[in-house]
Amino acid sequence: MRLPRLSALLPAVATVVAMTAAVPPATAANPVTPGNITGYGFDQCVAPEQWKMDRWMERSPFLAVGIYISGRSRGCRTQPNLTPTWVSTQLKKGWRLLPITLGPQASCHPSFPRYGDDPTISPDPDSNYSRARSQGRGEASTAVQAASNLGIVEGSTLWYDLEGFDISNTRCRESSLRFLSAWTTRVRELGYVSGVYSSAASGIKMLDDARVNRPRAFALPDRIWIARWDGKANTSTSYIRSDGWLPGGRMKQYRGGHNETWGGVTINIDSNWLDLGRGSVAARESHCGGIQVNKRTYPRLSTYNDVEYPNHVKALKCLLKEKGFFDGATINGTYGPVLTRAVQAWQARYGYQRTTDWRPRNWQRLTAQGRWQTLKTGSAGSFVRKAQRSLNSMGHNLVVSGVYNAATRDAVTAYQRSTGMTVTGIAGTQVWDGLRRGVR
């Protein structure tokens, strides 16, 4: 690989420095988005109001949301809700964001330009479609600037929306290919991940044909977003080869514009299935220097059965230590006076009956205490592990994987049903409140 000259990199460096300075401090620590995920998403032209996002987080199956951040040809040039605060709030609440740019479209698309002042991709073949390539680089720089200003950090995927067009039109197709190749190159140069959305039968097929028939001729996107309205929540389509952008490089829009109502809130959306990166995976956790706190069961403990459950005693000491109640010098499997004092201090602190033993309901409350997040299909991480531990204290016998899988969803559903809660299969406010209070 030939390294570029320093002079060629200076404009990119200056752009990145300027964008970094523009990121508000409150959003600088935002996570990469969408990151690794397998689950449902939706996209809607105008970013919804916060109260609608909150209601849908609690009730809908969706965990990802598409937002139009730039592009002169987008249908929603005005985004009254889309601010750095909106972005950071959604990310903190667990939403994964899909930032979309809808700029110049294929020159043969009959519906563009949309407004008259929005250019289409130049079909001029002069100098290997140099104008189209210049447009692609420019659109990428603009998209990265918009993303950075919103607090969408480097490493996040930026999606270019290329609406369906006639790929049999040679200049239209070839100029679009060069445009997207330049977009991908520039997005990567600026530290982001390149994604392209298009119709399975046109833009996506075009990219896959280039991948197979003209390898190394173009910079192809890292991820593709397939528009194929077949109603199937997966990433498959017969329009491209089965090995393209797999594993972890596909998502599919499987249903077009329609109204859905969740929690009394109706939004007109497209529906998507995401399978990106490594899928929904949970990073490893470490507790108290290697104490294993994840158990399939959480039994009653006392001075009379610590020999039977030494590892559970260690888990209890560790969890109480993390909460500031156990101050023993070592964490061993003995249920002695120091642990008894810690147990009673914890019980007194939260207004529970003081006992010398530790009961399953105590496990339920302790493991669910602290910060929480609404969980659903696609969720992964420490909050999922907390919920799984708490559910296991009631006999659900889950593998504490940190991934909100079908077994976890079924356990939440059973818990909601048995306690008279609204049954959604989503661990939201009601579920966490019940777990923390020991409701069974």
Side-chain angles (χ1 to χ4, degrees), residues 288 291-295 298 301 309-322 331-332 363 366:
C288 305
I291 298 298
Q292 179 55 259
V293 301
N294 300 329
K295 306 295 182 183
Y298 289 93
L301 300 176
Y309 298 110
N311 290 329
H312 285 81
V313 173
K314 291 179 183 179
L316 175 56
K317 288 180 176 179
C318 176
L319 291 171
L320 287 173
K321 186 179 185 67
E322 290 179 339
I331 295 180
N332 55 35
W363 281 117
L366 175 65

Side-chain angles (χ1 to χ4, degrees), residues 108-125:
C108 57
H109 196 297
S111 300
F112 294 92
R114 173 175 273 162
Y115 303 104
D117 65 347
D118 50 322
T120 55
I121 297 172
S122 172
D124 185 351

Side-chain angles (χ1 to χ4, degrees), residues 156-221:
S156 297
T157 303
L158 305 184
W159 302 90
Y160 195 85
D161 181 342
L162 185 69
E163 295 294 305
F165 64 98
D166 179 9
I167 61 172
S168 68
N169 183 316
T170 300
R171 289 191 177 183
C172 187
R173 180 190 67 245
E174 294 301 307
S175 59
S176 296
L177 261 175
R178 271 90 177 163
F179 177 96
L180 292 178
S181 179
W183 153 275
T184 291
T185 298
R186 185 61 173 157
V187 165
R188 289 173 180 165
E189 286 175 355
L190 296 177
Y192 288 77
V193 175
S194 169
V196 169
Y197 164 95
S198 194
S199 163
S202 60
I204 298 300
K205 184 178 187 304
M206 172 189 73
L207 290 169
D208 193 52
D209 286 345
R211 177 183 70 89
V212 174
N213 300 326
R214 291 185 278 179
R216 297 178 297 279
F218 304 98
L220 298 176

